[in-house]
């Protein structure tokens, strides 16, 4: 391993989990290097709610973004993955936002998870 277990107070990731091949392995590595009580601070885009027009648009464009945007998967639900991973004690802040200028990845979450 490049870093020892429990060696960081915080890990910051932005638009990371959309493009890694194994999201759980990435989260496990983040949890491994965090000290107890350490924070994983994240900003990620997620699949839009099913009732939004953006939901199906993301589904249509995802094959293109995977090929042309560094393996970016528009339809992943990183919010659910982080919340259900059981790698963190809690996720006290999580917000969904719609930013007009970042279509088709404008459903985003911002928060931190505590180890």
């Amino acid at each position: 391993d490049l870093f020892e277990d429990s060696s960081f107070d915080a890990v910051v990731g932005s638009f990371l989990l959309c493009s890694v091949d194994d999201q759980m392995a990435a989260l496990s590595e983040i949890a491994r290097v965090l000290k107890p009580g350490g924070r994983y601070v994240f900003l990620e885009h997620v699949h839009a709610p099913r009732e939004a027009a953006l939901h199906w648009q993301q589904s249509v464009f995802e094959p293109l973004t995977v090929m042309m945007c560094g393996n970016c998967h528009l339809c992943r639900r990183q919010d659910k993955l982080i919340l259900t991973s059981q790698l963190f004690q809690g996720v006290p802040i999580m917000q969904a936002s719609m930013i007009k200028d970042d279509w088709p990845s404008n459903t985003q979450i911002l928060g931190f998870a505590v180890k």
Side-chain angles (χ1 to χ4, degrees), residues 8 11 23 26 28 37 63 76 87 96 98 103 108 111:
F8 291 96
V11 173
Q23 294 176 296
S28 295
R76 288 186 175 172
L87 296 170
M98 301 291 277
W103 181 90
Q108 300 173 357

Side-chain angles (χ1 to χ4, degrees), residues 91-113:
V91 184
I93 298 176
M94 188 168 258
Q95 298 177 349
S97 62
M98 301 291 277
I99 301 172
K100 290 187 258 183
D101 297 335
D102 285 340
W103 181 90
S105 62
N106 61 357
T107 307
Q108 300 173 357
I109 55 171
L110 172 64
F112 66 89

Side-chain angles (χ1 to χ4, degrees), residues 17 19 26-27 32 42 59 67-68 77 87 95:
L17 295 175
S19 60
L27 282 178
R32 184 188 70 78
F42 56 86
S59 299
M67 277 187 352
M68 300 186 71
R77 292 301 310 259
L87 296 170
Q95 298 177 349

Side-chain angles (χ1 to χ4, degrees), residues 7-70:
S7 55
F8 291 96
D9 293 319
V11 173
V12 178
S14 61
F15 305 112
L16 165 74
L17 295 175
C18 68
S19 60
V20 296
D21 288 328
D22 187 341
Q23 294 176 296
M24 191 50 120
L27 282 178
S28 295
E29 181 64 8
I30 289 167
R32 184 188 70 78
V33 300
L34 278 174
K35 293 178 181 177
R39 292 182 181 195
Y40 168 43
V41 181
F42 56 86
L43 171 63
E44 295 284 351
H45 65 81
V46 296
H47 203 185
R50 189 171 295 275
E51 62 275 2
L54 181 59
H55 181 87
W56 68 264
Q57 293 169 352
Q58 288 173 325
S59 299
V60 169
F61 282 101
E62 184 175 66
L64 183 62
T65 62
V66 167
M67 277 187 352
M68 300 186 71
C69 300

